[in-house]
Amino acid sequence: MAYLTLKNINKIYPNGYHAVHDFNLEIEKGEFIVFVGPSGCGKSTTLRMIAGLEDISNGDFLINGNRANELGPREREVAMVFQSYALYPQMTVFDNIAFGLTLQGVDEEVIERRVKKTAAILGLTDYLDRLPRALSGGQRQRVAIGRAIIRKVGVFLMDEPLSNLDAKQRVTMRSEIAQIHQETGATTIYVTHDQTEAMTLADRIVVMKDGYVQQIGSPYELYFNPVNVFVAGFIGEPPMNFIRGTVKGGKISFGKNQLDVAAKLGNKAAKYEGKEIVFGFRPEAIELGSQSNAYQVKAVVELTEMLGDNTNIYITADEDKAILKVDPHDTPEVDTDIAFSIPYESVYLFDGETEMVIQ
Ligand code: ADP
């Protein structure tokens, strides 16, 4: 039996807004689950329903198979880390971390031991006497995480915990959160709009859009087997390129290049004659020059971005545009012609109407 079960969970706010539709998920003990999607897609609402901070309008939430919809936050044994650290400014780091245990009337010696252990995990040992205002943003966020993990609850819920940090601190804290999870093995549900955070932290990612779950899978599954245009475009940076076109004579146009749909779809291609399809390929999935078992494309270089470890090439082929990611040593001149190949196996075709991947 799964540890946590969300069965057809819906949220309709009092103003009638239907924020979450039929959310289904089973979470095993120890899993790191990330909810990802654009702002407003229902991630926080779902997390808050799991926390018991928001009523579930419809559906069942189970803990170890027992219905928990009506349990309050404390009875659910969850700890939440919010975007704003919400530390007590007049309390030291030690007291902030200890706060939950102090409230519970836990023995002072036990508190001291557990605060020290938590501080050691988080690299806060030298800061226990400080007030929050004398800490950096990253250190404050660690205190907030410490306050949650010291409680030894079943589930950690984190709502965009890194969004108040600068880019560098975010990367550091991200790896620390991964490490803390490895050390504590605690079930974690983490909300972010950042696909890189999702990809690097998650055992499984839940991609959401407009209140609907789009796909649930490991980072590998989402990157290599996206079910629709949205997931394909959301996971990966720079995002997957999409060329929309109507199939004519078995081909779609990418600028003046005529791409044979049957090369990818085989005898299923005939079904799409006269219909719109979306031709998708990742910037990093191309080869410069001509290769076998690949679509051949000619285009013009509009702009190049040398990023050190790679170069992004912005290309145009008439009205169609795409980004290619290449080795920096292969950076072409702007305004020159470029020829590249997209291996058939790296191409994704989507139904233009449903936007679902064509299998
Ligand atoms: P996310 O976390 O993905 O950014 P939220 O779960 O916060 O999204 O919000 C989902 C949708 O529900 C948004 O359109 C938001 O405006 C709406 N919403 C959030 N809280 C309320 C509320 N209390 N009343 C009505 N609508 C709300």
Side-chain angles (χ1 to χ4, degrees), residues 13 15 17 19 38-45:
Y13 278 110
N15 68 357
Y17 187 73
S39 178
C41 70
K43 307 179 293 290
S44 292
T45 301

Side-chain angles (χ1 to χ4, degrees), residues 3 51 53 72-82 88 95-104 106 110-111 114-115 117-119 121-122 143-157 180 184 186:
Y3 177 34
L53 298 171
R74 286 207 168 268
E75 298 158 300
R76 292 185 193 200
E77 307 225 311
V78 299
M80 189 132 168
V81 180
F82 293 95
Y88 298 102
D95 290 337
N96 265 288
I97 295 177
F99 188 69
L101 301 184
T102 312
L103 271 192
Q104 286 170 27
V106 174
V110 177
I111 292 184
R114 278 169 64 181
V115 170
K117 188 163 170 227
T118 305
I121 293 175
L122 293 164
V143 177
I145 292 171
R147 206 166 46 177
I149 66 176
I150 200 169
R151 287 181 46 210
K152 291 193 176 156
V153 294
V155 192
F156 293 114
L157 306 176
I180 293 166
T184 60

